[in-house]
Amino acid sequence: MTTARILVDPALCSGCRACEVACSFGHEGVFGPGLARIRVVKVEEEGYDRPVVCHQCRRPPCAQACPTGALTRDEAAGRLRLDDAACIGCGACVEACPFGAMRLHPDTEQAMFCDLCGGDPACVKRCTPGAIFWGREEDFARRLSEARARREAGDWWSGAEEGGRQ
């Protein structure tokens, strides 16, 4: 069984960016989307918004690219960890991330990515449409299938009242 992580259904994203605001406040104490570990990217050509969040890879390319070993995978917690003292802000991790989820903090220039808020992600709690949610990969297909069925039935909002939580 896999560990829980943040999962995304971009079809439900309204582009409100409440997740970014909640994340920045939770980590930095300010409402500044530029400091969020999650980002909402507008895909103009396709006409939708897509939340971008760390996939917490089992063999993270960002950690493999880190020349100082500042990024490691904590297998017990099922997430990436950053050793602030070892991070030199070189950006190798940013370039290595295939999902665009890694970036450098604008003030400290250290690696900045989703740390899952200790298992209670602020972004998930604030996602009213339910586009981002906390769960396990094995539950993902079932969740998407249920959400798509609700949308096709014209009841796309049903289930979102839980704030994206399962």
Side-chain angles (χ1 to χ4, degrees):
M1 185 185 298
T2 60
T3 57
R5 67 179 183 97
I6 296 173
L7 301 167
V8 175
D9 181 356
L12 291 177
C13 183
S14 68
C16 71
R17 293 182 159 69
C19 57
E20 292 177 344
V21 173
C23 178
S24 67
F25 187 75
H27 284 89
E28 305 285 334
V30 297
F31 296 112
L35 297 171
R37 277 66 176 165
I38 186 172
R39 289 177 302 136
V40 176
V41 176
K42 182 170 277 312
V43 183
E44 292 287 344
E45 312 80 47
E46 304 291 324
Y48 68 90
D49 297 289
R50 176 172 182 71
V52 176
V53 67
C54 180
H55 287 225
Q56 302 293 327
C57 303
R58 287 195 178 127
R59 289 183 294 280
C62 57
Q64 293 170 3
C66 182
T68 64
L71 279 170
T72 56
R73 176 151 172 87
D74 179 341
E75 292 300 332
R79 67 179 182 93
L80 289 175
R81 289 194 186 269
L82 176 69
D83 178 351
D84 293 335
C87 180
I88 59 174
C90 68
C93 56
V94 175
E95 292 178 30
C97 178
F99 306 106
M102 181 75 68
R103 53 195 186 142
L104 296 180
H105 192 286
D107 298 326
T108 66
E109 296 183 352
Q110 290 192 313
M112 188 167 77
F113 60 95
C114 177
D115 64 1
L116 304 177
C117 293
D120 190 23
C123 60
V124 171
K125 290 191 241 178
R126 296 300 303 162
C127 185
T128 303
I132 53 177
F133 50 96
W134 181 248
R136 301 182 189 287
E137 288 181 44
E138 51 266 20
D139 300 326
F140 189 54
R142 177 190 52 80
R143 167 94 183 218
L144 288 180
S145 178
E146 290 170 359
R148 289 192 177 113
R150 284 192 307 272
R151 281 194 305 277
E152 288 172 10
D155 188 20
W156 71 273
W157 197 260
S158 178
E161 63 275 355
E162 295 177 27
R165 284 193 256 177
Q166 285 200 15

